[in-house]
Amino acid sequence: MGTDSDRIEKKILLRAPLERVWRAVSDSQEFGSWFGVEFNGAFAPGIPMKGKIVPTKADPEIAKTQEAYAGAVFDITVDRIEPERLISFRWHPFAVDPSVDYSTEPTTLIVFELEKNANGTWLTITESGFDHIPLARRAKAFTMNEQGWTAQARLIEKYLAHAV
Amino acid sequence: MPSSGAARSSKASAPVFAALGDETRLQLVSRLCEEGPLSIAKLTAGFDVSRQAITKHLHVLADAGLVRGTRDGRENVWALEPRRLEAARRHLDLISTQWDEALGRLKSLVER
């Protein structure tokens, strides 16, 4: 369990054809619609771009928790694209304070991997590199403003309700 | 889905983050991180704040279990409580929850 602090991994079976899932993760507009962000262009490897956090319209409750960061702009770069198999990104996690220049800080790597299955598509997401992010930065992003904290607290509350 | 053990640690981390939600206190923790245990005199030297104010901040951090004060002769020496900070790292669980929520939205989009 020692290396668990460095990465988050999620695997989910989506009951949709591979081509459909690929579009949802590789088309910047589609990506933005479920992630809750507006990108200033199409995904292309190695080209730095901007994402603006916008509350998702689909779920009013989730939209509320995202409101604290609505309008916040963050830097993101596509790392690699292997059509219908893999797309990866780099970004600065918790980089939501407009007064801070995060550009010299370490990034995390986010990898989306797709695999065809008889019932649909397996999607694996890995975000790694957290061990290099200074702890003070993590705590600060977390407590930056009352509103953000309230949103996070609501998230914890929900999280605890699920876990019991 | 996160385990209940992870959930407990998130709850336990909340006071830690509250204690760190202050510029001076964050700097105190950063300095103790980088320089190891420091006397109150040395800690105060790096700040534009009185020794009393620094002591007050250190007590807030101590109450959250983040630092520990010990007496070394006539001086108070402050050090980090690494185990508590380890617990703070667990807020990765929250990022993880955000991924769960985002994936739920992706699922409804592609399965529609």
Side-chain angles (χ1 to χ4, degrees):
Chain A
M1 301 291 272
T3 59
D4 279 0
S5 64
D6 189 59
R7 59 165 51 214
I8 289 171
E9 191 174 318
K10 303 278 170 193
K11 191 168 183 176
I12 185 174
L13 179 66
L14 299 166
R15 294 181 189 283
L18 183 108
E19 308 76 60
R20 176 69 196 98
V21 179
W22 175 250
R23 190 149 42 90
V25 298
S26 62
D27 178 298
S28 64
Q29 269 195 7
E30 283 232 8
F31 189 110
S33 74
W34 61 267
F35 195 80
V37 63
E38 262 173 34
F39 294 104
N40 66 342
F43 292 151
I47 297 166
M49 55 194 299
K50 304 267 181 205
K52 188 166 91 181
I53 296 175
V54 290
T56 43
K57 289 154 197 123
D59 186 333
E61 204 185 318
I62 300 293
K64 237 189 280 166
T65 67
Q66 290 179 328
E67 233 162 60
Y69 301 122
V73 174
F74 63 95
D75 293 304
I76 178 168
T77 303
V78 175
D79 187 56
R80 270 200 302 159
I81 297 180
E82 292 175 30
E84 307 210 328
R85 204 193 79 72
L86 180 150
I87 182 163
S88 59
F89 304 88
R90 288 200 162 273
W91 66 34
H92 300 279
F94 333 110
V96 286
D97 184 349
S99 65
V100 173
D101 176 18
Y102 296 96
S103 56
T104 59
E105 292 193 359
T107 52
T108 50
L109 176 68
I110 302 93
V111 183
F112 289 75
E113 279 173 287
L114 277 58
E115 197 190 320
K116 206 176 206 141
N117 171 279
N119 299 313
T121 308
W122 279 111
L123 172 67
T124 308
I125 297 184
T126 318
E127 180 168 4
S128 60
F130 288 104
D131 280 352
H132 301 290
I133 311 295
L135 188 66
R137 154 73 56 234
R138 306 194 202 181
K140 186 164 186 188
F142 212 67
T143 55
M144 215 168 48
N145 58 55
E146 183 73 19
Q147 213 185 0
W149 176 241
T150 308
Q152 292 294 357
R154 217 180 295 130
L155 214 60
I156 298 172
E157 207 178 288
K158 225 167 85 185
Y159 175 45
L160 290 174
H162 276 295
V164 170
Chain B
M1 268 284 110
S3 72
S4 60
R8 266 197 301 280
S9 70
S10 286
K11 196 181 188 182
S13 294
V16 174
F17 289 119
L20 288 173
D22 173 277
E23 196 61 45
T24 308
R25 290 200 288 271
L26 261 178
Q27 280 178 34
L28 285 167
V29 169
S30 297
R31 283 198 58 198
L32 291 173
C33 259
E34 283 158 23
E35 299 169 48
L38 288 172
S39 68
I40 184 71
K42 280 193 181 140
L43 268 174
T44 310
F47 289 94
D48 212 9
V49 195
S50 72
R51 182 187 282 222
Q52 283 90 335
I54 294 293
T55 303
K56 225 184 224 175
H57 282 305
L58 285 166
H59 281 291
V60 173
L61 291 169
D63 287 345
L66 282 164
V67 301
R68 194 185 37 200
T70 46
R71 255 196 122 63
D72 181 15
R74 312 184 117 219
E75 279 252 282
N76 264 327
V77 175
W78 292 86
L80 285 181
E81 281 277 28
R83 254 184 317 169
R84 202 69 178 84
L85 278 168
E86 188 58 36
R89 292 170 79 105
R90 302 280 175 88
H91 86 285
L92 214 59
D93 295 338
L94 287 179
I95 307 289
S96 176
T97 307
Q98 287 170 341
W99 272 118
D100 287 335
E101 292 178 347
L103 285 178
R105 297 193 295 272
L106 171 64
K107 195 173 170 67
S108 9
L109 175 76
V110 296
E111 294 183 358
R112 190 159 55 197

